[in-house]
Short mmCIF file of all heavy atoms in Angstrom, two decimals:
data_model
loop_
_atom_site.label_atom_id
_atom_site.label_comp_id
_atom_site.label_asym_id
_atom_site.label_seq_id
_atom_site.Cartn_x
_atom_site.Cartn_y
_atom_site.Cartn_z
N VAL Q 25 -18.18 5.95 11.73
CA VAL Q 25 -17.45 5.54 10.55
C VAL Q 25 -16.27 4.68 10.99
O VAL Q 25 -15.48 5.10 11.82
CB VAL Q 25 -16.96 6.77 9.76
CG1 VAL Q 25 -16.08 6.34 8.62
CG2 VAL Q 25 -18.11 7.61 9.29
N ARG Q 26 -16.17 3.52 10.44
CA ARG Q 26 -15.07 2.60 10.75
C ARG Q 26 -14.07 2.62 9.62
O ARG Q 26 -14.43 2.48 8.48
CB ARG Q 26 -15.63 1.18 10.92
CG ARG Q 26 -14.57 0.21 11.31
CD ARG Q 26 -15.25 -1.14 11.68
NE ARG Q 26 -14.22 -2.10 11.89
CZ ARG Q 26 -13.96 -3.11 11.07
NH1 ARG Q 26 -14.68 -3.27 9.99
NH2 ARG Q 26 -12.99 -3.95 11.32
N ARG Q 27 -12.81 2.84 9.95
CA ARG Q 27 -11.76 2.84 8.95
C ARG Q 27 -10.91 1.59 9.12
O ARG Q 27 -10.43 1.32 10.21
CB ARG Q 27 -10.89 4.07 9.09
CG ARG Q 27 -11.61 5.35 8.72
CD ARG Q 27 -10.65 6.47 8.68
NE ARG Q 27 -9.82 6.33 7.50
CZ ARG Q 27 -9.89 7.11 6.44
NH1 ARG Q 27 -10.76 8.07 6.39
NH2 ARG Q 27 -9.08 6.94 5.43
N GLU Q 28 -10.75 0.88 8.05
CA GLU Q 28 -9.89 -0.29 8.06
C GLU Q 28 -8.42 0.16 7.96
O GLU Q 28 -8.12 1.13 7.29
CB GLU Q 28 -10.20 -1.20 6.88
CG GLU Q 28 -11.55 -1.84 6.94
CD GLU Q 28 -11.66 -2.89 8.00
OE1 GLU Q 28 -10.66 -3.60 8.27
OE2 GLU Q 28 -12.73 -3.00 8.61
N VAL Q 29 -7.56 -0.57 8.61
CA VAL Q 29 -6.12 -0.32 8.49
C VAL Q 29 -5.47 -1.67 8.18
O VAL Q 29 -5.73 -2.64 8.88
CB VAL Q 29 -5.54 0.25 9.81
CG1 VAL Q 29 -4.04 0.41 9.70
CG2 VAL Q 29 -6.19 1.60 10.11
N ASN Q 30 -4.70 -1.71 7.12
CA ASN Q 30 -4.04 -2.93 6.71
C ASN Q 30 -2.55 -2.71 6.65
O ASN Q 30 -2.08 -1.83 5.95
CB ASN Q 30 -4.55 -3.37 5.33
CG ASN Q 30 -5.95 -3.93 5.41
OD1 ASN Q 30 -6.12 -5.08 5.76
ND2 ASN Q 30 -6.94 -3.12 5.15
N THR Q 31 -1.81 -3.54 7.39
CA THR Q 31 -0.35 -3.47 7.36
C THR Q 31 0.16 -4.51 6.41
O THR Q 31 -0.21 -5.68 6.47
CB THR Q 31 0.21 -3.71 8.78
OG1 THR Q 31 -0.33 -2.71 9.64
CG2 THR Q 31 1.71 -3.63 8.78
N VAL Q 32 1.00 -4.07 5.50
CA VAL Q 32 1.60 -4.94 4.51
C VAL Q 32 2.96 -5.40 5.06
O VAL Q 32 3.73 -4.57 5.56
CB VAL Q 32 1.80 -4.15 3.17
CG1 VAL Q 32 2.52 -4.98 2.15
CG2 VAL Q 32 0.45 -3.70 2.64
N PRO Q 33 3.27 -6.71 4.97
CA PRO Q 33 4.53 -7.19 5.51
C PRO Q 33 5.78 -6.49 4.93
O PRO Q 33 6.83 -6.53 5.56
CB PRO Q 33 4.54 -8.69 5.16
CG PRO Q 33 3.09 -9.03 5.08
CD PRO Q 33 2.41 -7.81 4.53
N SER Q 34 5.65 -5.85 3.81
CA SER Q 34 6.80 -5.16 3.21
C SER Q 34 7.03 -3.79 3.82
O SER Q 34 7.80 -3.01 3.32
CB SER Q 34 6.63 -5.05 1.70
OG SER Q 34 6.70 -6.34 1.13
N GLY Q 35 6.32 -3.46 4.89
CA GLY Q 35 6.67 -2.29 5.65
C GLY Q 35 5.77 -1.07 5.55
O GLY Q 35 6.21 0.02 5.89
N LEU Q 36 4.54 -1.22 5.08
CA LEU Q 36 3.70 -0.04 5.06
C LEU Q 36 2.31 -0.37 5.56
O LEU Q 36 1.90 -1.53 5.59
CB LEU Q 36 3.63 0.61 3.68
CG LEU Q 36 2.93 -0.13 2.55
CD1 LEU Q 36 1.50 0.37 2.44
CD2 LEU Q 36 3.66 0.11 1.27
N THR Q 37 1.60 0.67 6.02
CA THR Q 37 0.25 0.53 6.48
C THR Q 37 -0.64 1.42 5.63
O THR Q 37 -0.32 2.58 5.43
CB THR Q 37 0.12 0.97 7.97
OG1 THR Q 37 0.99 0.13 8.73
CG2 THR Q 37 -1.30 0.80 8.47
N VAL Q 38 -1.73 0.85 5.08
CA VAL Q 38 -2.68 1.64 4.29
C VAL Q 38 -4.02 1.65 5.02
O VAL Q 38 -4.34 0.74 5.77
CB VAL Q 38 -2.87 1.07 2.85
CG1 VAL Q 38 -1.59 1.19 2.06
CG2 VAL Q 38 -3.37 -0.36 2.85
N ALA Q 39 -4.76 2.72 4.80
CA ALA Q 39 -6.07 2.85 5.46
C ALA Q 39 -7.03 3.55 4.55
O ALA Q 39 -6.63 4.34 3.68
CB ALA Q 39 -5.93 3.63 6.77
N GLY Q 40 -8.32 3.27 4.75
CA GLY Q 40 -9.35 3.95 4.00
C GLY Q 40 -9.54 3.33 2.61
O GLY Q 40 -8.81 2.46 2.19
N SER Q 41 -10.58 3.82 1.96
CA SER Q 41 -10.80 3.40 0.58
C SER Q 41 -11.37 4.60 -0.15
O SER Q 41 -11.91 5.51 0.43
CB SER Q 41 -11.77 2.22 0.51
OG SER Q 41 -12.98 2.53 1.11
N GLY Q 42 -11.15 4.59 -1.46
CA GLY Q 42 -11.65 5.65 -2.31
C GLY Q 42 -10.89 6.96 -2.28
O GLY Q 42 -11.47 7.96 -2.03
N PRO Q 43 -9.63 7.00 -2.45
CA PRO Q 43 -8.56 5.98 -2.51
C PRO Q 43 -7.91 5.77 -1.13
O PRO Q 43 -8.16 6.50 -0.18
CB PRO Q 43 -7.56 6.58 -3.48
CG PRO Q 43 -7.69 8.04 -3.30
CD PRO Q 43 -9.16 8.28 -2.96
N CYS Q 44 -7.05 4.76 -1.07
CA CYS Q 44 -6.32 4.47 0.16
C CYS Q 44 -5.20 5.46 0.39
O CYS Q 44 -4.67 6.04 -0.56
CB CYS Q 44 -5.69 3.06 0.10
SG CYS Q 44 -6.86 1.74 0.26
N CYS Q 45 -4.83 5.61 1.63
CA CYS Q 45 -3.76 6.51 2.02
C CYS Q 45 -2.72 5.71 2.79
O CYS Q 45 -3.07 4.86 3.61
CB CYS Q 45 -4.33 7.61 2.92
SG CYS Q 45 -3.09 8.78 3.49
N VAL Q 46 -1.45 5.94 2.54
CA VAL Q 46 -0.38 5.31 3.30
C VAL Q 46 -0.31 6.00 4.65
O VAL Q 46 -0.18 7.21 4.75
CB VAL Q 46 0.98 5.44 2.57
CG1 VAL Q 46 2.10 4.88 3.41
CG2 VAL Q 46 0.92 4.75 1.21
N ARG Q 47 -0.45 5.22 5.70
CA ARG Q 47 -0.47 5.77 7.07
C ARG Q 47 0.90 5.72 7.75
O ARG Q 47 1.24 6.59 8.52
CB ARG Q 47 -1.47 5.01 7.93
CG ARG Q 47 -2.86 5.20 7.49
CD ARG Q 47 -3.35 6.58 7.85
NE ARG Q 47 -4.72 6.75 7.43
CZ ARG Q 47 -5.21 7.86 6.95
NH1 ARG Q 47 -4.46 8.91 6.80
NH2 ARG Q 47 -6.47 7.92 6.59
N ALA Q 48 1.66 4.65 7.49
CA ALA Q 48 2.96 4.49 8.17
C ALA Q 48 3.90 3.67 7.31
O ALA Q 48 3.47 2.87 6.51
CB ALA Q 48 2.73 3.80 9.52
N ILE Q 49 5.18 3.93 7.52
CA ILE Q 49 6.25 3.19 6.82
C ILE Q 49 7.25 2.72 7.86
O ILE Q 49 7.67 3.51 8.72
CB ILE Q 49 6.97 4.08 5.79
CG1 ILE Q 49 6.03 4.62 4.74
CG2 ILE Q 49 8.15 3.38 5.17
CD1 ILE Q 49 5.51 3.56 3.78
N GLU Q 50 7.66 1.45 7.78
CA GLU Q 50 8.70 0.97 8.67
C GLU Q 50 10.07 1.34 8.10
O GLU Q 50 10.35 1.05 6.93
CB GLU Q 50 8.60 -0.55 8.79
CG GLU Q 50 7.36 -1.02 9.49
CD GLU Q 50 7.28 -2.56 9.52
OE1 GLU Q 50 8.32 -3.23 9.43
OE2 GLU Q 50 6.15 -3.05 9.62
N PRO Q 51 10.92 1.98 8.89
CA PRO Q 51 12.26 2.34 8.42
C PRO Q 51 13.01 1.08 7.99
O PRO Q 51 12.96 0.03 8.59
CB PRO Q 51 12.93 2.96 9.65
CG PRO Q 51 11.78 3.42 10.50
CD PRO Q 51 10.67 2.44 10.25
N GLY Q 52 13.72 1.21 6.87
CA GLY Q 52 14.53 0.08 6.35
C GLY Q 52 13.74 -0.99 5.64
O GLY Q 52 14.30 -1.98 5.18
N SER Q 53 12.43 -0.80 5.49
CA SER Q 53 11.58 -1.80 4.83
C SER Q 53 11.62 -1.63 3.32
O SER Q 53 12.08 -0.59 2.81
CB SER Q 53 10.13 -1.64 5.31
OG SER Q 53 9.60 -0.41 4.83
N PRO Q 54 11.15 -2.62 2.57
CA PRO Q 54 11.05 -2.45 1.11
C PRO Q 54 10.23 -1.22 0.71
O PRO Q 54 10.55 -0.54 -0.27
CB PRO Q 54 10.37 -3.74 0.63
CG PRO Q 54 10.78 -4.75 1.65
CD PRO Q 54 10.80 -3.98 2.95
N ALA Q 55 9.20 -0.90 1.47
CA ALA Q 55 8.39 0.28 1.17
C ALA Q 55 9.23 1.55 1.33
O ALA Q 55 9.16 2.48 0.52
CB ALA Q 55 7.16 0.34 2.08
N ALA Q 56 10.03 1.62 2.39
CA ALA Q 56 10.89 2.77 2.61
C ALA Q 56 11.95 2.85 1.51
O ALA Q 56 12.24 3.95 0.97
CB ALA Q 56 11.56 2.70 3.98
N ASP Q 57 12.49 1.71 1.13
CA ASP Q 57 13.48 1.69 0.04
C ASP Q 57 12.88 2.15 -1.30
O ASP Q 57 13.58 2.71 -2.12
CB ASP Q 57 14.05 0.29 -0.14
CG ASP Q 57 14.90 -0.17 1.03
OD1 ASP Q 57 15.31 0.70 1.85
OD2 ASP Q 57 15.15 -1.37 1.18
N ALA Q 58 11.56 1.91 -1.47
CA ALA Q 58 10.88 2.33 -2.69
C ALA Q 58 10.42 3.79 -2.62
O ALA Q 58 9.76 4.27 -3.51
CB ALA Q 58 9.70 1.42 -2.95
N LEU Q 59 10.82 4.48 -1.54
CA LEU Q 59 10.51 5.89 -1.34
C LEU Q 59 9.02 6.18 -1.18
O LEU Q 59 8.55 7.26 -1.51
CB LEU Q 59 11.12 6.76 -2.45
CG LEU Q 59 12.64 6.63 -2.63
CD1 LEU Q 59 13.11 7.49 -3.79
CD2 LEU Q 59 13.36 6.97 -1.35
N VAL Q 60 8.27 5.21 -0.66
CA VAL Q 60 6.86 5.43 -0.32
C VAL Q 60 6.87 6.25 0.97
O VAL Q 60 7.66 5.99 1.89
CB VAL Q 60 6.13 4.10 -0.12
CG1 VAL Q 60 4.70 4.34 0.28
CG2 VAL Q 60 6.19 3.27 -1.38
N LEU Q 61 6.00 7.24 1.06
CA LEU Q 61 5.96 8.11 2.22
C LEU Q 61 4.59 8.12 2.89
O LEU Q 61 3.56 7.97 2.22
CB LEU Q 61 6.29 9.54 1.79
CG LEU Q 61 7.65 9.78 1.16
CD1 LEU Q 61 7.75 11.18 0.61
CD2 LEU Q 61 8.73 9.53 2.20
N PRO Q 62 4.54 8.29 4.21
CA PRO Q 62 3.25 8.45 4.89
C PRO Q 62 2.51 9.64 4.27
O PRO Q 62 3.12 10.66 3.96
CB PRO Q 62 3.63 8.74 6.34
CG PRO Q 62 4.99 8.15 6.50
CD PRO Q 62 5.65 8.36 5.18
N GLY Q 63 1.23 9.46 4.04
CA GLY Q 63 0.43 10.49 3.40
C GLY Q 63 0.27 10.30 1.91
O GLY Q 63 -0.60 10.93 1.27
N ASP Q 64 1.09 9.41 1.31
CA ASP Q 64 0.92 9.12 -0.13
C ASP Q 64 -0.46 8.55 -0.35
O ASP Q 64 -0.93 7.72 0.43
CB ASP Q 64 1.97 8.13 -0.63
CG ASP Q 64 3.33 8.76 -0.84
OD1 ASP Q 64 3.47 9.99 -0.73
OD2 ASP Q 64 4.28 8.00 -1.13
N ILE Q 65 -1.10 8.94 -1.44
CA ILE Q 65 -2.41 8.42 -1.83
C ILE Q 65 -2.18 7.42 -2.95
O ILE Q 65 -1.43 7.68 -3.88
CB ILE Q 65 -3.34 9.57 -2.32
CG1 ILE Q 65 -3.46 10.66 -1.29
CG2 ILE Q 65 -4.70 9.02 -2.74
CD1 ILE Q 65 -4.12 10.25 0.00
N VAL Q 66 -2.81 6.25 -2.84
CA VAL Q 66 -2.63 5.18 -3.83
C VAL Q 66 -3.77 5.24 -4.83
O VAL Q 66 -4.93 4.95 -4.50
CB VAL Q 66 -2.57 3.80 -3.14
CG1 VAL Q 66 -2.30 2.72 -4.20
CG2 VAL Q 66 -1.51 3.78 -2.04
N PHE Q 67 -3.44 5.61 -6.07
CA PHE Q 67 -4.43 5.68 -7.14
C PHE Q 67 -4.39 4.46 -8.04
O PHE Q 67 -5.41 4.06 -8.60
CB PHE Q 67 -4.21 6.95 -7.99
CG PHE Q 67 -4.49 8.22 -7.24
CD1 PHE Q 67 -3.46 9.00 -6.75
CD2 PHE Q 67 -5.79 8.63 -7.01
CE1 PHE Q 67 -3.72 10.14 -6.03
CE2 PHE Q 67 -6.06 9.79 -6.31
CZ PHE Q 67 -5.01 10.54 -5.83
N ALA Q 68 -3.22 3.88 -8.21
CA ALA Q 68 -3.05 2.71 -9.08
C ALA Q 68 -1.84 1.91 -8.61
O ALA Q 68 -0.90 2.46 -8.06
CB ALA Q 68 -2.86 3.13 -10.54
N VAL Q 69 -1.91 0.60 -8.85
CA VAL Q 69 -0.80 -0.29 -8.59
C VAL Q 69 -0.58 -1.10 -9.83
O VAL Q 69 -1.47 -1.88 -10.23
CB VAL Q 69 -1.06 -1.20 -7.36
CG1 VAL Q 69 0.12 -2.14 -7.12
CG2 VAL Q 69 -1.39 -0.39 -6.13
N GLN Q 70 0.55 -0.92 -10.47
CA GLN Q 70 0.90 -1.61 -11.72
C GLN Q 70 -0.25 -1.61 -12.71
O GLN Q 70 -0.75 -2.66 -13.11
CB GLN Q 70 1.39 -3.01 -11.43
CG GLN Q 70 2.74 -3.04 -10.79
CD GLN Q 70 3.50 -4.30 -11.11
OE1 GLN Q 70 2.94 -5.40 -11.09
NE2 GLN Q 70 4.77 -4.14 -11.38
N ASP Q 71 -0.66 -0.46 -13.10
CA ASP Q 71 -1.70 -0.24 -14.12
C ASP Q 71 -3.12 -0.62 -13.70
O ASP Q 71 -4.05 -0.50 -14.48
CB ASP Q 71 -1.36 -0.94 -15.45
CG ASP Q 71 -0.09 -0.43 -16.06
OD1 ASP Q 71 0.21 0.77 -15.88
OD2 ASP Q 71 0.61 -1.21 -16.74
N GLU Q 72 -3.31 -1.09 -12.46
CA GLU Q 72 -4.67 -1.37 -11.98
C GLU Q 72 -5.14 -0.17 -11.16
O GLU Q 72 -4.56 0.15 -10.11
CB GLU Q 72 -4.70 -2.62 -11.11
CG GLU Q 72 -6.12 -2.92 -10.64
CD GLU Q 72 -6.21 -4.21 -9.83
OE1 GLU Q 72 -5.36 -5.10 -9.99
OE2 GLU Q 72 -7.19 -4.34 -9.08
N VAL Q 73 -6.18 0.50 -11.63
CA VAL Q 73 -6.74 1.64 -10.91
C VAL Q 73 -7.41 1.13 -9.66
O VAL Q 73 -8.22 0.20 -9.70
CB VAL Q 73 -7.72 2.43 -11.78
CG1 VAL Q 73 -8.38 3.54 -10.99
CG2 VAL Q 73 -7.02 2.98 -13.02
N VAL Q 74 -7.04 1.71 -8.50
CA VAL Q 74 -7.56 1.22 -7.22
C VAL Q 74 -8.24 2.32 -6.41
O VAL Q 74 -8.36 2.20 -5.19
CB VAL Q 74 -6.41 0.55 -6.39
CG1 VAL Q 74 -5.93 -0.72 -7.08
CG2 VAL Q 74 -5.29 1.52 -6.13
N THR Q 75 -8.73 3.33 -7.09
CA THR Q 75 -9.31 4.46 -6.36
C THR Q 75 -10.59 4.08 -5.61
O THR Q 75 -10.94 4.77 -4.64
CB THR Q 75 -9.61 5.63 -7.32
OG1 THR Q 75 -10.40 5.18 -8.39
CG2 THR Q 75 -8.33 6.25 -7.82
N THR Q 76 -11.28 3.04 -6.01
CA THR Q 76 -12.47 2.62 -5.31
C THR Q 76 -12.34 1.21 -4.71
O THR Q 76 -13.30 0.64 -4.23
CB THR Q 76 -13.72 2.66 -6.22
OG1 THR Q 76 -13.49 1.80 -7.33
CG2 THR Q 76 -13.98 4.08 -6.71
N ALA Q 77 -11.14 0.65 -4.78
CA ALA Q 77 -10.90 -0.71 -4.28
C ALA Q 77 -10.86 -0.71 -2.76
O ALA Q 77 -10.39 0.24 -2.13
CB ALA Q 77 -9.59 -1.26 -4.83
N PRO Q 78 -11.28 -1.82 -2.14
CA PRO Q 78 -11.15 -1.96 -0.68
C PRO Q 78 -9.69 -1.94 -0.30
O PRO Q 78 -8.83 -2.43 -1.03
CB PRO Q 78 -11.78 -3.31 -0.38
CG PRO Q 78 -12.54 -3.70 -1.60
CD PRO Q 78 -11.93 -2.98 -2.74
N GLU Q 79 -9.39 -1.41 0.90
CA GLU Q 79 -8.02 -1.32 1.34
C GLU Q 79 -7.33 -2.67 1.44
O GLU Q 79 -6.13 -2.77 1.20
CB GLU Q 79 -7.90 -0.55 2.66
CG GLU Q 79 -8.71 -1.11 3.79
CD GLU Q 79 -10.16 -0.66 3.74
OE1 GLU Q 79 -10.54 0.30 3.09
OE2 GLU Q 79 -10.95 -1.37 4.38
N GLN Q 80 -8.07 -3.72 1.70
CA GLN Q 80 -7.47 -5.07 1.74
C GLN Q 80 -6.91 -5.44 0.38
O GLN Q 80 -5.82 -6.03 0.28
CB GLN Q 80 -8.49 -6.11 2.21
CG GLN Q 80 -8.88 -5.93 3.66
CD GLN Q 80 -10.06 -6.81 4.02
OE1 GLN Q 80 -10.96 -7.00 3.22
NE2 GLN Q 80 -10.06 -7.28 5.25
N HIS Q 81 -7.63 -5.13 -0.69
CA HIS Q 81 -7.16 -5.45 -2.03
C HIS Q 81 -5.94 -4.61 -2.38
O HIS Q 81 -4.96 -5.13 -2.91
CB HIS Q 81 -8.28 -5.19 -3.05
CG HIS Q 81 -7.89 -5.50 -4.47
ND1 HIS Q 81 -7.58 -6.77 -4.87
CD2 HIS Q 81 -7.74 -4.70 -5.55
CE1 HIS Q 81 -7.25 -6.77 -6.17
NE2 HIS Q 81 -7.34 -5.50 -6.56
N VAL Q 82 -5.95 -3.33 -2.02
CA VAL Q 82 -4.81 -2.47 -2.27
C VAL Q 82 -3.58 -2.98 -1.51
O VAL Q 82 -2.48 -3.05 -2.07
CB VAL Q 82 -5.13 -1.00 -1.91
CG1 VAL Q 82 -3.90 -0.13 -2.07
CG2 VAL Q 82 -6.28 -0.50 -2.75
N ALA Q 83 -3.77 -3.37 -0.27
CA ALA Q 83 -2.68 -3.88 0.54
C ALA Q 83 -2.07 -5.15 -0.09
O ALA Q 83 -0.87 -5.30 -0.13
CB ALA Q 83 -3.14 -4.18 1.98
N GLN Q 84 -2.93 -6.03 -0.62
CA GLN Q 84 -2.43 -7.24 -1.25
C GLN Q 84 -1.63 -6.90 -2.50
O GLN Q 84 -0.56 -7.49 -2.74
CB GLN Q 84 -3.59 -8.15 -1.62
CG GLN Q 84 -4.26 -8.79 -0.42
CD GLN Q 84 -5.55 -9.50 -0.78
OE1 GLN Q 84 -6.12 -9.31 -1.87
NE2 GLN Q 84 -6.02 -10.32 0.13
N LEU Q 85 -2.13 -5.97 -3.33
CA LEU Q 85 -1.39 -5.60 -4.55
C LEU Q 85 -0.04 -4.97 -4.18
O LEU Q 85 0.97 -5.29 -4.83
CB LEU Q 85 -2.22 -4.60 -5.37
CG LEU Q 85 -3.49 -5.13 -6.00
CD1 LEU Q 85 -4.27 -3.99 -6.64
CD2 LEU Q 85 -3.15 -6.19 -7.09
N LEU Q 86 -0.04 -4.12 -3.18
CA LEU Q 86 1.23 -3.48 -2.77
C LEU Q 86 2.21 -4.52 -2.24
O LEU Q 86 3.40 -4.43 -2.48
CB LEU Q 86 0.95 -2.40 -1.75
CG LEU Q 86 0.27 -1.15 -2.28
CD1 LEU Q 86 -0.16 -0.25 -1.15
CD2 LEU Q 86 1.20 -0.40 -3.24
N GLN Q 87 1.71 -5.47 -1.49
CA GLN Q 87 2.59 -6.53 -0.96
C GLN Q 87 3.29 -7.28 -2.09
O GLN Q 87 4.50 -7.50 -2.05
CB GLN Q 87 1.79 -7.51 -0.08
CG GLN Q 87 2.61 -8.70 0.38
CD GLN Q 87 3.85 -8.34 1.16
OE1 GLN Q 87 3.83 -7.36 1.91
NE2 GLN Q 87 4.92 -9.09 1.01
N VAL Q 88 2.53 -7.64 -3.11
CA VAL Q 88 3.11 -8.35 -4.25
C VAL Q 88 4.14 -7.49 -4.95
O VAL Q 88 5.26 -7.93 -5.23
CB VAL Q 88 2.00 -8.82 -5.24
CG1 VAL Q 88 2.60 -9.33 -6.53
CG2 VAL Q 88 1.12 -9.87 -4.59
N LEU Q 89 3.78 -6.26 -5.21
CA LEU Q 89 4.70 -5.34 -5.90
C LEU Q 89 5.98 -5.11 -5.09
O LEU Q 89 7.07 -5.20 -5.63
CB LEU Q 89 3.99 -4.00 -6.17
CG LEU Q 89 4.86 -2.94 -6.84
CD1 LEU Q 89 5.31 -3.38 -8.22
CD2 LEU Q 89 4.08 -1.63 -6.91
N LEU Q 90 5.86 -4.84 -3.81
CA LEU Q 90 7.04 -4.59 -2.98
C LEU Q 90 7.88 -5.84 -2.80
O LEU Q 90 9.10 -5.76 -2.72
CB LEU Q 90 6.64 -4.00 -1.65
CG LEU Q 90 6.09 -2.56 -1.73
CD1 LEU Q 90 5.44 -2.16 -0.41
CD2 LEU Q 90 7.14 -1.60 -2.17
N SER Q 91 7.25 -6.99 -2.78
CA SER Q 91 8.01 -8.26 -2.71
C SER Q 91 8.82 -8.45 -3.97
O SER Q 91 9.99 -8.86 -3.91
CB SER Q 91 7.06 -9.44 -2.52
OG SER Q 91 6.43 -9.36 -1.28
N LEU Q 92 8.24 -8.12 -5.10
CA LEU Q 92 8.98 -8.25 -6.38
C LEU Q 92 10.13 -7.27 -6.41
O LEU Q 92 11.22 -7.59 -6.86
CB LEU Q 92 8.04 -8.00 -7.57
CG LEU Q 92 6.99 -9.09 -7.81
CD1 LEU Q 92 6.00 -8.62 -8.89
CD2 LEU Q 92 7.63 -10.39 -8.20
N CYS Q 93 9.89 -6.05 -5.94
CA CYS Q 93 10.94 -5.03 -5.96
C CYS Q 93 12.09 -5.41 -5.05
O CYS Q 93 13.26 -5.26 -5.43
CB CYS Q 93 10.38 -3.68 -5.52
SG CYS Q 93 9.25 -2.94 -6.69
N SER Q 94 11.79 -5.94 -3.87
CA SER Q 94 12.87 -6.30 -2.94
C SER Q 94 13.60 -7.56 -3.42
O SER Q 94 14.79 -7.72 -3.11
CB SER Q 94 12.34 -6.50 -1.53
OG SER Q 94 11.45 -7.56 -1.46
N ALA Q 95 12.95 -8.40 -4.19
CA ALA Q 95 13.62 -9.60 -4.71
C ALA Q 95 14.64 -9.28 -5.78
O ALA Q 95 15.56 -10.05 -6.02
CB ALA Q 95 12.58 -10.57 -5.25
N THR Q 96 14.49 -8.14 -6.43
CA THR Q 96 15.43 -7.78 -7.51
C THR Q 96 16.59 -6.95 -7.02
O THR Q 96 17.48 -6.63 -7.80
CB THR Q 96 14.68 -6.98 -8.62
OG1 THR Q 96 14.14 -5.80 -8.07
CG2 THR Q 96 13.59 -7.85 -9.24
N ASP Q 97 16.62 -6.62 -5.73
CA ASP Q 97 17.73 -5.83 -5.19
C ASP Q 97 18.99 -6.63 -5.03
O ASP Q 97 19.05 -7.76 -4.81
CB ASP Q 97 17.36 -5.21 -3.84
CG ASP Q 97 16.33 -4.09 -4.01
OD1 ASP Q 97 16.18 -3.59 -5.13
OD2 ASP Q 97 15.68 -3.73 -3.00
#
């Protein structure tokens, strides 16, 4: 079984699909500021259910969301 791991430039790493799991958070990153924690399971991103989405798609959605969040700080 091969597990994909995708690192989002906003400071988090997601892995797996159905649903994705947050594997790591960079201290001081937008993800850390948003209180995302390792072990969090991603079920939806801004009203889009992602429980069966590929981890690459989830990583892209999270990148956009975290970029928007950090831009408003």
Side-chain angles (χ1 to χ4, degrees):
V25 174
R26 183 171 173 251
R27 292 189 72 109
E28 293 289 325
V29 176
N30 286 278
T31 301
V32 175
S34 293
L36 68 96
T37 302
V38 294
S41 58
C44 286
C45 178
V46 176
R47 294 287 181 217
I49 300 291
E50 293 177 24
S53 68
D57 293 344
L59 303 179
V60 178
L61 299 172
D64 283 353
I65 305 296
V66 183
F67 293 102
V69 179
Q70 288 208 319
D71 298 329
E72 181 177 337
V73 176
V74 294
T75 54
T76 59
E79 56 279 340
Q80 292 170 324
H81 181 64
V82 176
Q84 290 170 344
L85 291 172
L86 289 170
Q87 174 58 35
V88 170
L89 178 62
L90 291 168
S91 294
L92 292 172
C93 290
S94 64
T96 60
D97 289 343

